[in-house]
Amino acid sequence: MSIQIPQNMTEVEVQLLDRQKAGEQVTKEEIIRNAVKDTLQALMDEALEGHYDDVKWDDQGQNLLVFDIMGKQVGKAHPQAASFVADFTASPDNLMDYFTKVVTKIVGGR
């Protein structure tokens, strides 16, 4: 996992302060949403031993969709609570466990 992807709320706060000091207009929620998406993408890349699938937000920005190299949707992750931000805030470890199961299902189903 990249050190650039926050793994917990402390790392989110550090990144928020660093980016705001650099003049960026960014919110804690944006950092968490990016971290959630980037974490799932990193897990997919690791499982496939390369970047073959793309993780994207759905049109409502609620669920994460996984698309294969041909652009076909091959998987979906949905928040366990009200949103992925809430899931991450409550327990980054539980979210990681959920993502690991999602990746196993997607990759194992091929």
PDB file of all heavy atoms in Angstrom, residues 68-105:
ATOM      1  N   ASP A  68     -13.139  -3.999 -16.023  1.00  0.00           N
ATOM      2  CA  ASP A  68     -11.974  -4.694 -16.562  1.00  0.00           C
ATOM      3  C   ASP A  68     -11.347  -3.886 -17.695  1.00  0.00           C
ATOM      4  O   ASP A  68     -11.828  -2.793 -18.030  1.00  0.00           O
ATOM      5  CB  ASP A  68     -12.324  -6.119 -16.992  1.00  0.00           C
ATOM      6  CG  ASP A  68     -13.246  -6.205 -18.203  1.00  0.00           C
ATOM      7  OD1 ASP A  68     -13.489  -5.179 -18.893  1.00  0.00           O
ATOM      8  OD2 ASP A  68     -13.744  -7.322 -18.467  1.00  0.00           O
ATOM      9  N   ILE A  69     -10.312  -4.413 -18.279  1.00  0.00           N
ATOM     10  CA  ILE A  69      -9.550  -3.705 -19.308  1.00  0.00           C
ATOM     11  C   ILE A  69     -10.397  -3.415 -20.553  1.00  0.00           C
ATOM     12  O   ILE A  69     -10.104  -2.491 -21.297  1.00  0.00           O
ATOM     13  CB  ILE A  69      -8.261  -4.488 -19.654  1.00  0.00           C
ATOM     14  CG1 ILE A  69      -7.262  -3.599 -20.351  1.00  0.00           C
ATOM     15  CG2 ILE A  69      -8.586  -5.740 -20.428  1.00  0.00           C
ATOM     16  CD1 ILE A  69      -5.857  -4.130 -20.353  1.00  0.00           C
ATOM     17  N   MET A  70     -11.472  -4.168 -20.731  1.00  0.00           N
ATOM     18  CA  MET A  70     -12.361  -3.961 -21.881  1.00  0.00           C
ATOM     19  C   MET A  70     -13.486  -2.972 -21.555  1.00  0.00           C
ATOM     20  O   MET A  70     -14.322  -2.685 -22.399  1.00  0.00           O
ATOM     21  CB  MET A  70     -12.945  -5.295 -22.349  1.00  0.00           C
ATOM     22  CG  MET A  70     -11.902  -6.314 -22.770  1.00  0.00           C
ATOM     23  SD  MET A  70     -10.828  -5.735 -24.098  1.00  0.00           S
ATOM     24  CE  MET A  70     -11.965  -5.667 -25.443  1.00  0.00           C
ATOM     25  N   GLY A  71     -13.519  -2.480 -20.325  1.00  0.00           N
ATOM     26  CA  GLY A  71     -14.551  -1.521 -19.926  1.00  0.00           C
ATOM     27  C   GLY A  71     -15.821  -2.153 -19.401  1.00  0.00           C
ATOM     28  O   GLY A  71     -16.806  -1.459 -19.147  1.00  0.00           O
ATOM     29  N   LYS A  72     -15.800  -3.467 -19.194  1.00  0.00           N
ATOM     30  CA  LYS A  72     -16.968  -4.179 -18.677  1.00  0.00           C
ATOM     31  C   LYS A  72     -16.929  -4.149 -17.151  1.00  0.00           C
ATOM     32  O   LYS A  72     -15.905  -4.419 -16.530  1.00  0.00           O
ATOM     33  CB  LYS A  72     -16.953  -5.625 -19.158  1.00  0.00           C
ATOM     34  CG  LYS A  72     -18.072  -6.465 -18.618  1.00  0.00           C
ATOM     35  CD  LYS A  72     -17.936  -7.907 -19.054  1.00  0.00           C
ATOM     36  CE  LYS A  72     -18.954  -8.760 -18.321  1.00  0.00           C
ATOM     37  NZ  LYS A  72     -18.620 -10.179 -18.387  1.00  0.00           N
ATOM     38  N   GLN A  73     -18.072  -3.833 -16.530  1.00  0.00           N
ATOM     39  CA  GLN A  73     -18.135  -3.838 -15.079  1.00  0.00           C
ATOM     40  C   GLN A  73     -18.049  -5.279 -14.585  1.00  0.00           C
ATOM     41  O   GLN A  73     -18.826  -6.130 -14.991  1.00  0.00           O
ATOM     42  CB  GLN A  73     -19.428  -3.200 -14.579  1.00  0.00           C
ATOM     43  CG  GLN A  73     -19.490  -3.132 -13.066  1.00  0.00           C
ATOM     44  CD  GLN A  73     -20.755  -2.497 -12.536  1.00  0.00           C
ATOM     45  OE1 GLN A  73     -21.372  -1.671 -13.202  1.00  0.00           O
ATOM     46  NE2 GLN A  73     -21.145  -2.889 -11.334  1.00  0.00           N
ATOM     47  N   VAL A  74     -17.069  -5.516 -13.699  1.00  0.00           N
ATOM     48  CA  VAL A  74     -16.847  -6.869 -13.186  1.00  0.00           C
ATOM     49  C   VAL A  74     -17.063  -6.976 -11.679  1.00  0.00           C
ATOM     50  O   VAL A  74     -16.978  -8.061 -11.119  1.00  0.00           O
ATOM     51  CB  VAL A  74     -15.429  -7.376 -13.543  1.00  0.00           C
ATOM     52  CG1 VAL A  74     -15.292  -7.563 -15.044  1.00  0.00           C
ATOM     53  CG2 VAL A  74     -14.355  -6.447 -12.997  1.00  0.00           C
ATOM     54  N   GLY A  75     -17.339  -5.846 -11.044  1.00  0.00           N
ATOM     55  CA  GLY A  75     -17.553  -5.895  -9.610  1.00  0.00           C
ATOM     56  C   GLY A  75     -18.064  -4.585  -9.056  1.00  0.00           C
ATOM     57  O   GLY A  75     -18.062  -3.565  -9.735  1.00  0.00           O
ATOM     58  N   LYS A  76     -18.504  -4.660  -7.795  1.00  0.00           N
ATOM     59  CA  LYS A  76     -19.068  -3.488  -7.130  1.00  0.00           C
ATOM     60  C   LYS A  76     -18.830  -3.603  -5.633  1.00  0.00           C
ATOM     61  O   LYS A  76     -18.943  -4.686  -5.061  1.00  0.00           O
ATOM     62  CB  LYS A  76     -20.563  -3.419  -7.416  1.00  0.00           C
ATOM     63  CG  LYS A  76     -21.309  -2.302  -6.742  1.00  0.00           C
ATOM     64  CD  LYS A  76     -22.782  -2.359  -7.140  1.00  0.00           C
ATOM     65  CE  LYS A  76     -23.586  -1.271  -6.477  1.00  0.00           C
ATOM     66  NZ  LYS A  76     -24.998  -1.330  -6.877  1.00  0.00           N
ATOM     67  N   ALA A  77     -18.495  -2.481  -5.014  1.00  0.00           N
ATOM     68  CA  ALA A  77     -18.389  -2.411  -3.559  1.00  0.00           C
ATOM     69  C   ALA A  77     -19.361  -1.344  -3.087  1.00  0.00           C
ATOM     70  O   ALA A  77     -19.438  -0.266  -3.683  1.00  0.00           O
ATOM     71  CB  ALA A  77     -16.966  -2.068  -3.141  1.00  0.00           C
ATOM     72  N   HIS A  78     -20.091  -1.649  -2.047  1.00  0.00           N
ATOM     73  CA  HIS A  78     -21.052  -0.688  -1.514  1.00  0.00           C
ATOM     74  C   HIS A  78     -20.713  -0.418  -0.052  1.00  0.00           C
ATOM     75  O   HIS A  78     -20.145  -1.282   0.636  1.00  0.00           O
ATOM     76  CB  HIS A  78     -22.489  -1.193  -1.666  1.00  0.00           C
ATOM     77  CG  HIS A  78     -22.707  -2.537  -1.045  1.00  0.00           C
ATOM     78  ND1 HIS A  78     -22.955  -2.703   0.293  1.00  0.00           N
ATOM     79  CD2 HIS A  78     -22.677  -3.775  -1.580  1.00  0.00           C
ATOM     80  CE1 HIS A  78     -23.084  -3.990   0.562  1.00  0.00           C
ATOM     81  NE2 HIS A  78     -22.913  -4.666  -0.558  1.00  0.00           N
ATOM     82  N   PRO A  79     -21.049   0.775   0.436  1.00  0.00           N
ATOM     83  CA  PRO A  79     -20.746   1.081   1.838  1.00  0.00           C
ATOM     84  C   PRO A  79     -21.487   0.138   2.783  1.00  0.00           C
ATOM     85  O   PRO A  79     -22.592  -0.311   2.491  1.00  0.00           O
ATOM     86  CB  PRO A  79     -21.236   2.519   2.021  1.00  0.00           C
ATOM     87  CG  PRO A  79     -21.723   2.991   0.713  1.00  0.00           C
ATOM     88  CD  PRO A  79     -21.733   1.861  -0.246  1.00  0.00           C
ATOM     89  N   GLN A  80     -20.869  -0.122   3.905  1.00  0.00           N
ATOM     90  CA  GLN A  80     -21.487  -0.969   4.917  1.00  0.00           C
ATOM     91  C   GLN A  80     -22.415  -0.151   5.816  1.00  0.00           C
ATOM     92  O   GLN A  80     -23.357  -0.683   6.378  1.00  0.00           O
ATOM     93  CB  GLN A  80     -20.412  -1.653   5.757  1.00  0.00           C
ATOM     94  CG  GLN A  80     -19.450  -2.494   4.924  1.00  0.00           C
ATOM     95  CD  GLN A  80     -20.164  -3.583   4.143  1.00  0.00           C
ATOM     96  OE1 GLN A  80     -20.645  -4.549   4.736  1.00  0.00           O
ATOM     97  NE2 GLN A  80     -20.255  -3.439   2.844  1.00  0.00           N
ATOM     98  N   ALA A  81     -22.128   1.148   5.934  1.00  0.00           N
ATOM     99  CA  ALA A  81     -22.966   2.067   6.710  1.00  0.00           C
ATOM    100  C   ALA A  81     -23.588   3.063   5.731  1.00  0.00           C
ATOM    101  O   ALA A  81     -23.856   2.708   4.596  1.00  0.00           O
ATOM    102  CB  ALA A  81     -22.131   2.772   7.775  1.00  0.00           C
ATOM    103  N   ALA A  82     -23.760   4.282   6.150  1.00  0.00           N
ATOM    104  CA  ALA A  82     -24.401   5.291   5.304  1.00  0.00           C
ATOM    105  C   ALA A  82     -23.542   5.669   4.099  1.00  0.00           C
ATOM    106  O   ALA A  82     -24.060   6.013   3.043  1.00  0.00           O
ATOM    107  CB  ALA A  82     -24.714   6.536   6.129  1.00  0.00           C
ATOM    108  N   SER A  83     -22.213   5.609   4.254  1.00  0.00           N
ATOM    109  CA  SER A  83     -21.303   5.987   3.171  1.00  0.00           C
ATOM    110  C   SER A  83     -19.935   5.391   3.439  1.00  0.00           C
ATOM    111  O   SER A  83     -19.642   4.946   4.557  1.00  0.00           O
ATOM    112  CB  SER A  83     -21.183   7.513   3.091  1.00  0.00           C
ATOM    113  OG  SER A  83     -20.490   8.009   4.232  1.00  0.00           O
ATOM    114  N   PHE A  84     -19.085   5.410   2.423  1.00  0.00           N
ATOM    115  CA  PHE A  84     -17.716   4.950   2.620  1.00  0.00           C
ATOM    116  C   PHE A  84     -16.961   5.875   3.572  1.00  0.00           C
ATOM    117  O   PHE A  84     -16.068   5.433   4.292  1.00  0.00           O
ATOM    118  CB  PHE A  84     -16.975   4.837   1.292  1.00  0.00           C
ATOM    119  CG  PHE A  84     -17.269   3.570   0.548  1.00  0.00           C
ATOM    120  CD1 PHE A  84     -17.839   3.600  -0.701  1.00  0.00           C
ATOM    121  CD2 PHE A  84     -16.969   2.330   1.101  1.00  0.00           C
ATOM    122  CE1 PHE A  84     -18.106   2.429  -1.402  1.00  0.00           C
ATOM    123  CE2 PHE A  84     -17.233   1.150   0.427  1.00  0.00           C
ATOM    124  CZ  PHE A  84     -17.803   1.202  -0.837  1.00  0.00           C
ATOM    125  N   VAL A  85     -17.308   7.156   3.574  1.00  0.00           N
ATOM    126  CA  VAL A  85     -16.672   8.088   4.519  1.00  0.00           C
ATOM    127  C   VAL A  85     -16.993   7.648   5.951  1.00  0.00           C
ATOM    128  O   VAL A  85     -16.110   7.592   6.812  1.00  0.00           O
ATOM    129  CB  VAL A  85     -17.104   9.547   4.256  1.00  0.00           C
ATOM    130  CG1 VAL A  85     -16.605  10.468   5.357  1.00  0.00           C
ATOM    131  CG2 VAL A  85     -16.614  10.025   2.893  1.00  0.00           C
ATOM    132  N   ALA A  86     -18.257   7.285   6.191  1.00  0.00           N
ATOM    133  CA  ALA A  86     -18.654   6.809   7.516  1.00  0.00           C
ATOM    134  C   ALA A  86     -17.954   5.495   7.853  1.00  0.00           C
ATOM    135  O   ALA A  86     -17.493   5.300   8.988  1.00  0.00           O
ATOM    136  CB  ALA A  86     -20.167   6.633   7.593  1.00  0.00           C
ATOM    137  N   ASP A  87     -17.849   4.603   6.876  1.00  0.00           N
ATOM    138  CA  ASP A  87     -17.162   3.323   7.099  1.00  0.00           C
ATOM    139  C   ASP A  87     -15.703   3.550   7.484  1.00  0.00           C
ATOM    140  O   ASP A  87     -15.199   2.956   8.437  1.00  0.00           O
ATOM    141  CB  ASP A  87     -17.201   2.455   5.839  1.00  0.00           C
ATOM    142  CG  ASP A  87     -18.582   1.920   5.509  1.00  0.00           C
ATOM    143  OD1 ASP A  87     -19.502   2.037   6.352  1.00  0.00           O
ATOM    144  OD2 ASP A  87     -18.743   1.388   4.399  1.00  0.00           O
ATOM    145  N   PHE A  88     -15.022   4.414   6.734  1.00  0.00           N
ATOM    146  CA  PHE A  88     -13.609   4.693   6.989  1.00  0.00           C
ATOM    147  C   PHE A  88     -13.425   5.359   8.345  1.00  0.00           C
ATOM    148  O   PHE A  88     -12.544   4.981   9.113  1.00  0.00           O
ATOM    149  CB  PHE A  88     -13.035   5.581   5.884  1.00  0.00           C
ATOM    150  CG  PHE A  88     -11.552   5.836   6.005  1.00  0.00           C
ATOM    151  CD1 PHE A  88     -10.641   5.012   5.361  1.00  0.00           C
ATOM    152  CD2 PHE A  88     -11.064   6.894   6.756  1.00  0.00           C
ATOM    153  CE1 PHE A  88      -9.278   5.240   5.471  1.00  0.00           C
ATOM    154  CE2 PHE A  88      -9.709   7.138   6.874  1.00  0.00           C
ATOM    155  CZ  PHE A  88      -8.807   6.302   6.229  1.00  0.00           C
ATOM    156  N   THR A  89     -14.277   6.327   8.636  1.00  0.00           N
ATOM    157  CA  THR A  89     -14.184   7.055   9.900  1.00  0.00           C
ATOM    158  C   THR A  89     -14.404   6.118  11.084  1.00  0.00           C
ATOM    159  O   THR A  89     -13.697   6.201  12.091  1.00  0.00           O
ATOM    160  CB  THR A  89     -15.193   8.214   9.928  1.00  0.00           C
ATOM    161  OG1 THR A  89     -14.941   9.072   8.807  1.00  0.00           O
ATOM    162  CG2 THR A  89     -15.072   9.024  11.193  1.00  0.00           C
ATOM    163  N   ALA A  90     -15.355   5.210  10.958  1.00  0.00           N
ATOM    164  CA  ALA A  90     -15.671   4.284  12.047  1.00  0.00           C
ATOM    165  C   ALA A  90     -14.558   3.261  12.259  1.00  0.00           C
ATOM    166  O   ALA A  90     -14.174   2.985  13.393  1.00  0.00           O
ATOM    167  CB  ALA A  90     -16.990   3.576  11.779  1.00  0.00           C
ATOM    168  N   SER A  91     -14.058   2.683  11.158  1.00  0.00           N
ATOM    169  CA  SER A  91     -13.019   1.656  11.286  1.00  0.00           C
ATOM    170  C   SER A  91     -12.332   1.403   9.944  1.00  0.00           C
ATOM    171  O   SER A  91     -12.834   0.622   9.125  1.00  0.00           O
ATOM    172  CB  SER A  91     -13.608   0.350  11.805  1.00  0.00           C
ATOM    173  OG  SER A  91     -12.604  -0.640  11.838  1.00  0.00           O
ATOM    174  N   PRO A  92     -11.193   2.035   9.724  1.00  0.00           N
ATOM    175  CA  PRO A  92     -10.445   1.762   8.497  1.00  0.00           C
ATOM    176  C   PRO A  92     -10.084   0.281   8.359  1.00  0.00           C
ATOM    177  O   PRO A  92     -10.072  -0.249   7.249  1.00  0.00           O
ATOM    178  CB  PRO A  92      -9.184   2.624   8.640  1.00  0.00           C
ATOM    179  CG  PRO A  92      -9.534   3.687   9.612  1.00  0.00           C
ATOM    180  CD  PRO A  92     -10.537   3.062  10.539  1.00  0.00           C
ATOM    181  N   ASP A  93      -9.832  -0.397   9.470  1.00  0.00           N
ATOM    182  CA  ASP A  93      -9.483  -1.815   9.418  1.00  0.00           C
ATOM    183  C   ASP A  93     -10.646  -2.666   8.919  1.00  0.00           C
ATOM    184  O   ASP A  93     -10.456  -3.579   8.104  1.00  0.00           O
ATOM    185  CB  ASP A  93      -9.026  -2.320  10.793  1.00  0.00           C
ATOM    186  CG  ASP A  93      -7.682  -1.739  11.205  1.00  0.00           C
ATOM    187  OD1 ASP A  93      -6.893  -1.332  10.320  1.00  0.00           O
ATOM    188  OD2 ASP A  93      -7.426  -1.683  12.422  1.00  0.00           O
ATOM    189  N   ASN A  94     -11.851  -2.381   9.404  1.00  0.00           N
ATOM    190  CA  ASN A  94     -13.024  -3.127   8.932  1.00  0.00           C
ATOM    191  C   ASN A  94     -13.277  -2.873   7.457  1.00  0.00           C
ATOM    192  O   ASN A  94     -13.657  -3.789   6.721  1.00  0.00           O
ATOM    193  CB  ASN A  94     -14.264  -2.764   9.743  1.00  0.00           C
ATOM    194  CG  ASN A  94     -14.247  -3.346  11.144  1.00  0.00           C
ATOM    195  OD1 ASN A  94     -13.450  -4.228  11.458  1.00  0.00           O
ATOM    196  ND2 ASN A  94     -15.115  -2.842  11.995  1.00  0.00           N
ATOM    197  N   LEU A  95     -13.060  -1.634   7.015  1.00  0.00           N
ATOM    198  CA  LEU A  95     -13.235  -1.320   5.594  1.00  0.00           C
ATOM    199  C   LEU A  95     -12.220  -2.089   4.758  1.00  0.00           C
ATOM    200  O   LEU A  95     -12.561  -2.639   3.710  1.00  0.00           O
ATOM    201  CB  LEU A  95     -13.110   0.192   5.361  1.00  0.00           C
ATOM    202  CG  LEU A  95     -13.330   0.652   3.928  1.00  0.00           C
ATOM    203  CD1 LEU A  95     -14.721   0.269   3.414  1.00  0.00           C
ATOM    204  CD2 LEU A  95     -13.129   2.168   3.823  1.00  0.00           C
ATOM    205  N   MET A  96     -10.982  -2.165   5.236  1.00  0.00           N
ATOM    206  CA  MET A  96      -9.942  -2.919   4.521  1.00  0.00           C
ATOM    207  C   MET A  96     -10.316  -4.396   4.440  1.00  0.00           C
ATOM    208  O   MET A  96     -10.160  -5.027   3.387  1.00  0.00           O
ATOM    209  CB  MET A  96      -8.597  -2.743   5.217  1.00  0.00           C
ATOM    210  CG  MET A  96      -7.475  -3.485   4.540  1.00  0.00           C
ATOM    211  SD  MET A  96      -7.043  -2.806   2.936  1.00  0.00           S
ATOM    212  CE  MET A  96      -5.924  -1.546   3.463  1.00  0.00           C
ATOM    213  N   ASP A  97     -10.840  -4.946   5.522  1.00  0.00           N
ATOM    214  CA  ASP A  97     -11.275  -6.348   5.506  1.00  0.00           C
ATOM    215  C   ASP A  97     -12.386  -6.555   4.478  1.00  0.00           C
ATOM    216  O   ASP A  97     -12.379  -7.542   3.737  1.00  0.00           O
ATOM    217  CB  ASP A  97     -11.765  -6.784   6.887  1.00  0.00           C
ATOM    218  CG  ASP A  97     -10.646  -6.913   7.905  1.00  0.00           C
ATOM    219  OD1 ASP A  97      -9.460  -6.978   7.518  1.00  0.00           O
ATOM    220  OD2 ASP A  97     -10.971  -6.941   9.117  1.00  0.00           O
ATOM    221  N   TYR A  98     -13.332  -5.632   4.445  1.00  0.00           N
ATOM    222  CA  TYR A  98     -14.431  -5.724   3.470  1.00  0.00           C
ATOM    223  C   TYR A  98     -13.880  -5.658   2.045  1.00  0.00           C
ATOM    224  O   TYR A  98     -14.251  -6.459   1.188  1.00  0.00           O
ATOM    225  CB  TYR A  98     -15.449  -4.608   3.722  1.00  0.00           C
ATOM    226  CG  TYR A  98     -16.459  -4.458   2.606  1.00  0.00           C
ATOM    227  CD1 TYR A  98     -17.379  -5.474   2.326  1.00  0.00           C
ATOM    228  CD2 TYR A  98     -16.489  -3.313   1.827  1.00  0.00           C
ATOM    229  CE1 TYR A  98     -18.296  -5.351   1.300  1.00  0.00           C
ATOM    230  CE2 TYR A  98     -17.407  -3.174   0.802  1.00  0.00           C
ATOM    231  CZ  TYR A  98     -18.305  -4.191   0.535  1.00  0.00           C
ATOM    232  OH  TYR A  98     -19.204  -4.056  -0.488  1.00  0.00           O
ATOM    233  N   PHE A  99     -12.977  -4.698   1.788  1.00  0.00           N
ATOM    234  CA  PHE A  99     -12.391  -4.570   0.451  1.00  0.00           C
ATOM    235  C   PHE A  99     -11.619  -5.830   0.054  1.00  0.00           C
ATOM    236  O   PHE A  99     -11.649  -6.245  -1.102  1.00  0.00           O
ATOM    237  CB  PHE A  99     -11.492  -3.343   0.362  1.00  0.00           C
ATOM    238  CG  PHE A  99     -12.221  -2.049   0.145  1.00  0.00           C
ATOM    239  CD1 PHE A  99     -11.552  -0.841   0.292  1.00  0.00           C
ATOM    240  CD2 PHE A  99     -13.550  -1.995  -0.228  1.00  0.00           C
ATOM    241  CE1 PHE A  99     -12.192   0.369   0.071  1.00  0.00           C
ATOM    242  CE2 PHE A  99     -14.208  -0.802  -0.443  1.00  0.00           C
ATOM    243  CZ  PHE A  99     -13.520   0.388  -0.292  1.00  0.00           C
ATOM    244  N   THR A 100     -10.946  -6.441   1.000  1.00  0.00           N
ATOM    245  CA  THR A 100     -10.209  -7.672   0.708  1.00  0.00           C
ATOM    246  C   THR A 100     -11.168  -8.766   0.248  1.00  0.00           C
ATOM    247  O   THR A 100     -10.884  -9.494  -0.705  1.00  0.00           O
ATOM    248  CB  THR A 100      -9.414  -8.123   1.953  1.00  0.00           C
ATOM    249  OG1 THR A 100      -8.491  -7.088   2.306  1.00  0.00           O
ATOM    250  CG2 THR A 100      -8.654  -9.412   1.699  1.00  0.00           C
ATOM    251  N   LYS A 101     -12.318  -8.849   0.885  1.00  0.00           N
ATOM    252  CA  LYS A 101     -13.330  -9.833   0.478  1.00  0.00           C
ATOM    253  C   LYS A 101     -13.882  -9.506  -0.904  1.00  0.00           C
ATOM    254  O   LYS A 101     -14.088 -10.404  -1.730  1.00  0.00           O
ATOM    255  CB  LYS A 101     -14.463  -9.881   1.503  1.00  0.00           C
ATOM    256  CG  LYS A 101     -14.055 -10.487   2.819  1.00  0.00           C
ATOM    257  CD  LYS A 101     -15.155 -10.390   3.850  1.00  0.00           C
ATOM    258  CE  LYS A 101     -14.639 -10.857   5.206  1.00  0.00           C
ATOM    259  NZ  LYS A 101     -15.566 -10.550   6.281  1.00  0.00           N
ATOM    260  N   VAL A 102     -14.124  -8.229  -1.167  1.00  0.00           N
ATOM    261  CA  VAL A 102     -14.628  -7.804  -2.475  1.00  0.00           C
ATOM    262  C   VAL A 102     -13.624  -8.175  -3.573  1.00  0.00           C
ATOM    263  O   VAL A 102     -13.994  -8.726  -4.603  1.00  0.00           O
ATOM    264  CB  VAL A 102     -14.928  -6.286  -2.496  1.00  0.00           C
ATOM    265  CG1 VAL A 102     -15.169  -5.794  -3.913  1.00  0.00           C
ATOM    266  CG2 VAL A 102     -16.120  -5.966  -1.604  1.00  0.00           C
ATOM    267  N   VAL A 103     -12.364  -7.870  -3.344  1.00  0.00           N
ATOM    268  CA  VAL A 103     -11.314  -8.163  -4.334  1.00  0.00           C
ATOM    269  C   VAL A 103     -11.210  -9.679  -4.567  1.00  0.00           C
ATOM    270  O   VAL A 103     -11.130 -10.121  -5.708  1.00  0.00           O
ATOM    271  CB  VAL A 103      -9.963  -7.569  -3.888  1.00  0.00           C
ATOM    272  CG1 VAL A 103      -8.822  -8.092  -4.751  1.00  0.00           C
ATOM    273  CG2 VAL A 103     -10.022  -6.034  -3.943  1.00  0.00           C
ATOM    274  N   THR A 104     -11.252 -10.442  -3.499  1.00  0.00           N
ATOM    275  CA  THR A 104     -11.185 -11.898  -3.628  1.00  0.00           C
ATOM    276  C   THR A 104     -12.328 -12.424  -4.469  1.00  0.00           C
ATOM    277  O   THR A 104     -12.141 -13.273  -5.344  1.00  0.00           O
ATOM    278  CB  THR A 104     -11.196 -12.568  -2.236  1.00  0.00           C
ATOM    279  OG1 THR A 104     -10.060 -12.110  -1.505  1.00  0.00           O
ATOM    280  CG2 THR A 104     -11.160 -14.084  -2.344  1.00  0.00           C
ATOM    281  N   LYS A 105     -13.515 -11.888  -4.249  1.00  0.00           N
ATOM    282  CA  LYS A 105     -14.699 -12.314  -5.021  1.00  0.00           C
ATOM    283  C   LYS A 105     -14.552 -11.921  -6.497  1.00  0.00           C
ATOM    284  O   LYS A 105     -14.823 -12.729  -7.381  1.00  0.00           O
ATOM    285  CB  LYS A 105     -15.955 -11.676  -4.430  1.00  0.00           C
ATOM    286  CG  LYS A 105     -17.223 -12.089  -5.125  1.00  0.00           C
ATOM    287  CD  LYS A 105     -18.432 -11.468  -4.465  1.00  0.00           C
ATOM    288  CE  LYS A 105     -19.696 -11.827  -5.228  1.00  0.00           C
ATOM    289  NZ  LYS A 105     -20.877 -11.175  -4.671  1.00  0.00           N
TER     290      LYS A 105
END
